[in-house]
Amino acid sequence: MSLPQPLKSVYALADANSFYASCEKVFRPELEGKPVVVLSNNDGCVIAQSKEAKAALALYMCRPWFEVKEAAEKIGTIAFSSNYELYGAMSNRFVQTLRHFSPRVEVYSIDESFMDMTGLRRDLSVYGHEIKHTVRQWTGLPICIGFGHSKTLAKLANHCAKKQPGWDGVCDLTSLSVPELDHLLASLEISTVWGVGKRLERRLHAVGVTNVLRLKHADPKRIRDKFGVLLERTVRELNGEVWLELDQMVPEANQVMSSRSFGHRLDSLTDLQAAISFHAGNAAERMRKKGLYANAVYVFIQNSPHDEAPYYCGQQMIALPSPTNSTQQITKAALWLLNKVYQPGVYYLKGGVMLMELVAEGGQQRELFGFSQQDSKNHRLMGMIDKVNAKYGRGTVKTAAEGVRQDWQMRRVLKSPGYLHQWKDLLKVR
């Protein structure tokens, strides 16, 4: 009696199209079909474009906004400042929707997730359109889906689904015959493969590997000798071997950082203290969400390397007496470091706080003469502050050192409302 053959792995990659721009359109239906761009910190550069903007403007990413603003406005382009809170909330909705279609989901980035489809006894193309329709209906986001026998092939399938209109946003490479798949791979440039950039593509061209099919048929051992083990794994994945497993667990962070460019250059120590206190509180809150404690605090402030004045970046770290997740203790350490690195006469453009050497609560090494009662009070206080801020918005309860006006904050004059995280910005249906 022959033993049953093991099921061949099948992965899917779901990718939201023009994610930042699409998030802005969800709550503004009148923008459907219009060109939309999203700008970087301080409204400096274009970092996201809708498909209409890409077609009409043909912009390179990170092009300064002031250079293209006039041309963009002539064709009716709508510009938005980055609304990171909105994009994070929409990303969570996207992932939660995908979990209805697969028991194992790996969040790869804010707008991409892998799904395990192994053993699914359904037409994957039909299933893909069902996922696509449901995500659109439940979140408002347009997506593309690719299926393959490895994560690299799923990523490649997603590229085909997005770039080739005939696929209608869903590409199932597992359903293609060998000649059909080879014909498709022969038409694709090597740089379309996950992890292969333009520089590596030029090196591969030099040895006669000019398309994805030739890369697939390359000798893995020779590829490893000349280009390294990572590209060897890519070649094997193109042949349907699974070398990149689905990772459902988010790796434990080694550090948490909060930093932003200032809305304008700062030379006042008082303004810098408010900015650094904000970043200390923000980093501490994010660290507590992960259930971690910091053993060290790092602070930096810098001016712009493009200023006429000499470039200065003040940075310093301090080890804490014992691990802590207390905003007050972290802020005190950060302000002490700021006083050490601050130099008058410098116009600072950016600053931030990094919490380092993070440990879980159970892995802490306490002080020899630690005060457990004080730790318990601090734990309850931080928990209550986080609950209040989660309900009413970050900054509802904060340290006095952060100040009230926060004029140093980065410019976001075109920022859309907080539809999903501010009660006052909830849409009103009349």
Side-chain angles (χ1 to χ4, degrees), residues 2-8 121:
S2 61
L3 295 175
Q5 294 296 317
L7 292 173
K8 194 165 186 178
R121 299 184 182 278

mmCIF file of all heavy atoms in Angstrom, residues 2-8 121:
data_model
loop_
_atom_site.group_PDB
_atom_site.id
_atom_site.type_symbol
_atom_site.label_atom_id
_atom_site.label_comp_id
_atom_site.label_asym_id
_atom_site.label_seq_id
_atom_site.Cartn_x
_atom_site.Cartn_y
_atom_site.Cartn_z
ATOM 1 N N SER A 2 0.639 2.134 -0.934
ATOM 2 C CA SER A 2 1.454 3.343 -1.021
ATOM 3 C C SER A 2 0.983 4.372 -0.003
ATOM 4 O O SER A 2 -0.211 4.495 0.285
ATOM 5 C CB SER A 2 1.362 3.932 -2.428
ATOM 6 O OG SER A 2 0.027 4.276 -2.730
ATOM 7 N N LEU A 3 1.971 5.097 0.560
ATOM 8 C CA LEU A 3 1.651 6.131 1.536
ATOM 9 C C LEU A 3 1.129 7.373 0.814
ATOM 10 O O LEU A 3 1.538 7.683 -0.309
ATOM 11 C CB LEU A 3 2.904 6.490 2.340
ATOM 12 C CG LEU A 3 3.461 5.376 3.229
ATOM 13 C CD1 LEU A 3 4.764 5.815 3.879
ATOM 14 C CD2 LEU A 3 2.446 4.994 4.306
ATOM 15 N N PRO A 4 0.208 8.131 1.467
ATOM 16 C CA PRO A 4 -0.304 9.356 0.844
ATOM 17 C C PRO A 4 0.810 10.390 0.688
ATOM 18 O O PRO A 4 1.662 10.539 1.567
ATOM 19 C CB PRO A 4 -1.383 9.829 1.829
ATOM 20 C CG PRO A 4 -1.023 9.199 3.135
ATOM 21 C CD PRO A 4 -0.401 7.879 2.791
ATOM 22 N N GLN A 5 0.816 11.083 -0.449
ATOM 23 C CA GLN A 5 1.823 12.101 -0.695
ATOM 24 C C GLN A 5 1.525 13.348 0.146
ATOM 25 O O GLN A 5 0.369 13.745 0.310
ATOM 26 C CB GLN A 5 1.833 12.475 -2.181
ATOM 27 C CG GLN A 5 2.280 11.345 -3.085
ATOM 28 C CD GLN A 5 3.726 10.957 -2.826
ATOM 29 O OE1 GLN A 5 4.594 11.808 -2.663
ATOM 30 N NE2 GLN A 5 3.973 9.663 -2.769
ATOM 31 N N PRO A 6 2.567 13.968 0.711
ATOM 32 C CA PRO A 6 2.344 15.202 1.487
ATOM 33 C C PRO A 6 1.811 16.316 0.589
ATOM 34 O O PRO A 6 2.123 16.397 -0.601
ATOM 35 C CB PRO A 6 3.737 15.530 2.029
ATOM 36 C CG PRO A 6 4.689 14.849 1.090
ATOM 37 C CD PRO A 6 3.992 13.605 0.638
ATOM 38 N N LEU A 7 0.965 17.147 1.175
ATOM 39 C CA LEU A 7 0.403 18.259 0.421
ATOM 40 C C LEU A 7 1.496 19.256 0.060
ATOM 41 O O LEU A 7 2.397 19.539 0.859
ATOM 42 C CB LEU A 7 -0.669 18.959 1.265
ATOM 43 C CG LEU A 7 -1.945 18.171 1.538
ATOM 44 C CD1 LEU A 7 -2.817 18.920 2.526
ATOM 45 C CD2 LEU A 7 -2.699 17.903 0.248
ATOM 46 N N LYS A 8 1.428 19.787 -1.144
ATOM 47 C CA LYS A 8 2.381 20.796 -1.566
ATOM 48 C C LYS A 8 1.951 22.142 -0.999
ATOM 49 O O LYS A 8 0.772 22.514 -1.047
ATOM 50 C CB LYS A 8 2.457 20.865 -3.094
ATOM 51 C CG LYS A 8 3.656 21.644 -3.588
ATOM 52 C CD LYS A 8 3.919 21.400 -5.061
ATOM 53 C CE LYS A 8 5.221 22.074 -5.479
ATOM 54 N NZ LYS A 8 5.538 21.824 -6.905
ATOM 55 N N ARG A 121 -9.140 23.056 -0.631
ATOM 56 C CA ARG A 121 -9.717 22.353 -1.775
ATOM 57 C C ARG A 121 -10.748 23.247 -2.472
ATOM 58 O O ARG A 121 -11.944 22.984 -2.478
ATOM 59 C CB ARG A 121 -10.361 21.042 -1.316
ATOM 60 C CG ARG A 121 -9.375 20.082 -0.672
ATOM 61 C CD ARG A 121 -10.018 18.763 -0.305
ATOM 62 N NE ARG A 121 -9.075 17.872 0.343
ATOM 63 C CZ ARG A 121 -8.197 17.113 -0.283
ATOM 64 N NH1 ARG A 121 -8.142 17.136 -1.600
ATOM 65 N NH2 ARG A 121 -7.370 16.323 0.394
#
